[in-house]
Amino acid sequence: MTEKQGNRPGLIRAVPVRHPGRWVAAAVIVVLAAMLVNNIVTNTAYNWAEQWKYFLSPPVLNGVRNTIWLTLVAMVGGVLFGIVLALMRLSPNPLMRGASWLYLWVFRGTPLYTQLLIWGNIGALFPKLGLGIPFGPEFVTAQTNALYSAAMAAALGLVLNEAAYMAEIIRAGILSVDPGQNEASQALGMTRMQTMRRVVLPQAMRVIVPPTGNEAISMLKNTSLVAAVPYLELTFTAQTIYASTYQVIPMLVMVCIWYLILSSLMMVGQYYLERHYARGSQQSRMGLRARMSRIGGAP
Amino acid sequence: MDEVTGEVMGEVMVKAEQVWKSFGQLEVLKGIDLEVRNGEVVCVIGPSGSGKSTFLRCLNHLEKINAGRLWVNGQLMGYRQRGDKLHELREKEVAAQRRDIGMVFQRFNLFPHMTALENVVEAPIRVKRQAKASAMERGRELLTRVGLGDRCDSYPSQLSGGQQQRVAIARALAMEPKLMLFDEPTSALDPELVGEVLGVMRELALDGMTMVVVTHEMGFAREVADRVVFMDGGVVVEEGPPSQVIGDPKHERTRAFLSRVLRPED
């Protein structure tokens, strides 16, 4: 060992490769950023004072609350119903598979905005709702519009649409789990439900959580479409404000800031969720920074 | 549950009568007859594709047989016989039958999101409804028994292949099975790790566990097995004590197989 160290050659001091392209790109970005900052500071059309005046005002806070509420309900409902649809798609029963496929075909094949318009006007299709025997007598009936609020229409529309997308994400997650896991659980005497809940789904979650985070952030923004119902969430609230103040751009920029705050909070939540479900995997021992850069999305 | 067929079954852990199994057009088992008595260690050897792993998987009904009858511990596996009609058992009943049969897989199949100890106690707690504290205590004992008392909190990805397979054995033992099935338990291991797993299995055999072992380890079969079964082409070609089947095979196919797999040290 010592002999070798005695003969050790001198450290390499090579001239590094130059990257003139990087300097050009950096210069372009700096100029563009300066232009943007200059615009934000000097352009009075942003009307920052007006934005601040409304930022924490009761109608805007109400809109924020409704947006959060809708996102939560739509995602929780979408995941739960999505699990049912995914299990139906993986079922040995062809009728279950077919029904699930048909559902996905309809709800993924039509625009969300159109679906929400329909849910907002469902009273025209079913003026009365009743409980009874199919094709037989009804025991209770009620006017649809008396039972059904704009909030319900908005939530229902988002849940039913989201379930179709979540079903595919969950199905992919379940299929990603090694079939040997199923056999090992069965050999231990676990039932199919126990196997799904204790063994397969927790492992499928590693595959399910990242795209579900994407879905949740999409959902946060898609709630703005329930203006079709119509329902007073964040964007629709801003629209009603600028309809009377004519401060269009300040209100829309303010709404963007709110959406950015909410989506940032969701990214933090996603980080902890991913870490939880990475238990036992190699990645769970990766550093925080490497994980955060992954959550940041496609490089 | 099902009536024991004759007083002989008290002595017999596994009884296979003319077991046939095919996957589509491919016939994998063509009439297997086999008995394994209580406390006996039977090693099943044979070339790959001979149906030995499939037969093992039929024993705990991971595969459904197409013809014949299969009893384990006096119970007809997977079916209930009423008159001369067979009724499929419900999922819960099949699960109950499997509780008495431990299985160890070639690829370990540990649950990667659980620690070694969690892997071991999962089925006792969820399936046998044991109290958590006593299950954990028993789990630690079992892991100590397979030489991993200090790795209870390690995840499978932090363990070597040999350690993972020993956890898998402890996991199967935690259900207090009456029969242990081993499906090529050392085939996925690096050569230097094979010994530690075979060591645990040897001790298990000495403790009197009834075992059916599909293996390519001729040294283990010769030393530990009470009986060796040679399978080829979906049938049992030859069976008997290891000294006879491995030491002095009668059948040409057995001799040809052994000449290909036996190493000098075996």
Side-chain angles (χ1 to χ4, degrees):
Chain A
M1 286 300 273
T2 42
E3 264 179 35
K4 267 192 180 165
Q5 271 178 2
N7 291 332
R8 190 167 140 177
L11 292 177
I12 293 172
R13 288 180 214 283
V15 179
V17 177
R18 306 291 175 196
H19 298 282
R22 290 184 194 171
W23 287 100
V24 175
V28 171
I29 289 172
V30 167
V31 170
L32 285 175
M35 287 167 69
L36 181 69
V37 170
N38 180 52
N39 179 266
I40 287 174
V41 173
T42 59
N43 191 337
T44 53
Y46 284 109
N47 201 345
W48 295 101
E50 175 84 3
Q51 286 192 38
W52 181 240
K53 192 173 109 194
Y54 280 100
F55 194 74
L56 295 172
S57 68
V60 169
L61 284 185
N62 181 57
V64 169
R65 199 163 44 238
N66 284 346
T67 291
I68 294 174
W69 173 88
L70 263 183
T71 307
L72 264 177
V73 169
M75 283 314 293
V76 171
V79 168
L80 292 179
F81 191 27
I83 291 176
V84 174
L85 287 170
L87 292 179
M88 281 170 69
R89 270 259 19 225
L90 297 169
S91 150
N93 183 336
L95 197 65
M96 296 275 239
R97 281 204 305 273
S100 179
W101 181 89
L102 193 71
Y103 183 93
L104 261 62
W105 180 66
V106 170
F107 280 84
R108 290 198 309 179
T110 54
L112 175 57
Y113 188 74
T114 315
Q115 289 173 28
L116 287 167
L117 280 171
I118 291 175
W119 291 115
N121 295 289
I122 200 72
L125 185 60
F126 304 109
K128 283 182 180 168
L129 292 178
L131 253 168
I133 298 162
F135 305 108
E138 289 187 338
F139 308 125
V140 201
T141 54
Q143 293 293 319
T144 301
N145 288 336
L147 289 175
Y148 191 71
S149 66
M152 279 172 68
L156 188 67
L158 292 175
V159 165
L160 294 183
N161 182 263
E162 185 57 30
Y165 288 90
M166 283 310 303
E168 286 297 272
I169 291 174
I170 291 164
R171 184 170 72 104
I174 290 174
L175 289 177
S176 77
V177 177
D178 176 15
Q181 294 288 309
N182 236 316
E183 293 187 349
S185 322
Q186 285 183 20
L188 285 167
M190 293 167 81
T191 61
R192 218 172 302 151
M193 273 301 286
Q194 281 175 327
T195 303
M196 189 51 77
R197 213 165 44 82
R198 296 288 305 171
V199 176
V200 175
L201 276 182
Q203 293 181 63
M205 286 305 270
R206 286 192 51 215
V207 174
I208 291 172
V209 168
T212 304
N214 258 350
E215 287 294 306
I217 288 171
S218 290
M219 178 57 72
L220 176 73
K221 295 169 297 177
N222 283 344
T223 54
S224 62
L225 295 178
V226 302
V229 168
Y231 182 67
L232 267 175
E233 48 62 62
L234 189 50
T235 301
F236 193 42
T237 305
Q239 286 175 325
T240 59
I241 294 174
Y242 67 61
S244 57
T245 64
Y246 302 107
Q247 296 285 335
V248 177
I249 289 294
M251 283 304 102
L252 292 181
V253 171
M254 180 200 73
V255 161
C256 284
I257 293 173
W258 262 117
Y259 280 119
L260 278 173
I261 292 173
L262 295 176
S263 58
S264 305
L265 289 176
M266 288 168 71
M267 281 163 67
V268 173
Q270 187 184 352
Y271 163 72
Y272 284 104
L273 209 59
E274 280 189 33
R275 202 175 64 165
H276 175 74
Y277 283 112
R279 269 172 313 166
S281 75
Q282 298 295 331
Q283 281 154 15
S284 63
R285 293 186 287 285
M286 264 165 65
L288 175 87
R289 183 175 297 197
R291 302 281 297 163
M292 284 306 277
S293 72
R294 292 181 130 209
I295 291 173
Chain B
M1 272 214 158
D2 275 270
E3 71 291 348
V4 168
T5 57
E7 60 273 35
V8 209
M9 290 304 285
E11 296 284 306
V12 176
M13 179 59 69
V14 176
K15 185 174 170 65
E17 261 180 22
Q18 278 299 303
V19 169
W20 288 69
K21 169 73 188 173
S22 55
F23 295 106
Q25 296 292 311
L26 183 71
E27 289 198 319
V28 182
L29 301 179
K30 303 173 188 167
I32 303 283
D33 290 303
L34 189 72
E35 266 189 24
V36 179
R37 285 181 299 280
N38 270 329
E40 201 178 19
V41 176
V42 173
C43 282
V44 184
I45 62 172
S48 53
S50 59
K52 52 197 195 310
S53 283
T54 303
F55 177 66
L56 200 71
R57 293 161 58 79
C58 289
L59 286 180
N60 65 354
H61 206 55
L62 281 181
E63 304 288 355
K64 272 186 188 164
I65 62 177
N66 301 119
R69 295 283 188 278
L70 198 51
W71 291 269
V72 174
N73 196 25
Q75 295 181 18
L76 185 62
M77 288 305 290
Y79 301 94
R80 176 183 294 115
Q81 185 147 15
R82 287 210 190 110
D84 43 348
K85 258 228 170 96
L86 280 189
H87 297 259
E88 276 186 8
L89 290 185
R90 266 174 296 180
E91 192 211 337
K92 280 214 164 136
E93 297 170 313
V94 174
Q97 288 187 332
R98 288 185 178 132
R99 275 173 219 172
D100 290 336
I101 308 170
M103 187 160 192
V104 174
F105 298 86
Q106 181 178 356
R107 306 206 48 81
F108 328 137
N109 293 347
L110 289 180
F111 306 135
H113 56 302
M114 300 181 190
T115 63
L117 184 59
E118 285 169 349
N119 264 281
V120 173
V121 301
E122 177 67 18
I125 292 175
R126 302 282 156 184
V127 178
K128 280 196 158 176
R129 305 269 166 215
Q130 284 180 6
K132 199 171 172 188
S134 62
M136 299 276 264
E137 197 188 315
R138 170 104 178 103
R140 273 180 226 282
E141 275 172 31
L142 281 167
L143 283 171
T144 307
R145 187 168 155 198
V146 299
L148 293 169
D150 54 339
R151 303 307 299 269
C152 287
D153 297 323
S154 301
Y155 285 97
S157 64
Q158 297 165 324
L159 300 172
S160 73
Q163 291 171 328
Q164 288 189 51
Q165 194 61 298
R166 284 186 281 153
V167 173
I169 293 173
R171 177 175 71 174
L173 290 177
M175 290 298 280
E176 292 169 334
K178 301 196 171 87
L179 169 69
M180 283 285 283
L181 308 176
F182 292 85
D183 187 7
E184 303 195 29
T186 57
S187 296
L189 296 177
D190 292 337
E192 79 270 22
L193 303 176
V194 168
E196 60 191 63
V197 172
L198 293 182
V200 169
M201 290 166 62
R202 190 175 292 122
E203 274 175 34
L204 208 52
L206 287 176
D207 284 351
M209 177 63 77
T210 312
M211 294 162 62
V212 180
V213 184
V214 170
T215 186
H216 292 289
E217 296 291 330
M218 293 305 143
F220 176 82
R222 179 177 292 205
E223 182 197 343
V224 180
D226 298 305
R227 201 146 45 94
V228 173
V229 174
F230 174 71
M231 278 177 70
D232 192 11
V235 294
V236 173
V237 176
E238 183 166 356
E239 64 174 297
S243 57
Q244 181 197 314
V245 176
I246 299 177
D248 181 24
K250 299 229 169 352
H251 208 283
E252 180 51 40
R253 278 196 279 178
T254 320
R255 273 200 288 275
F257 170 74
L258 287 170
S259 72
R260 273 177 281 139
V261 298
L262 274 185
R263 287 164 306 192
E265 69 264 31
D266 290 329

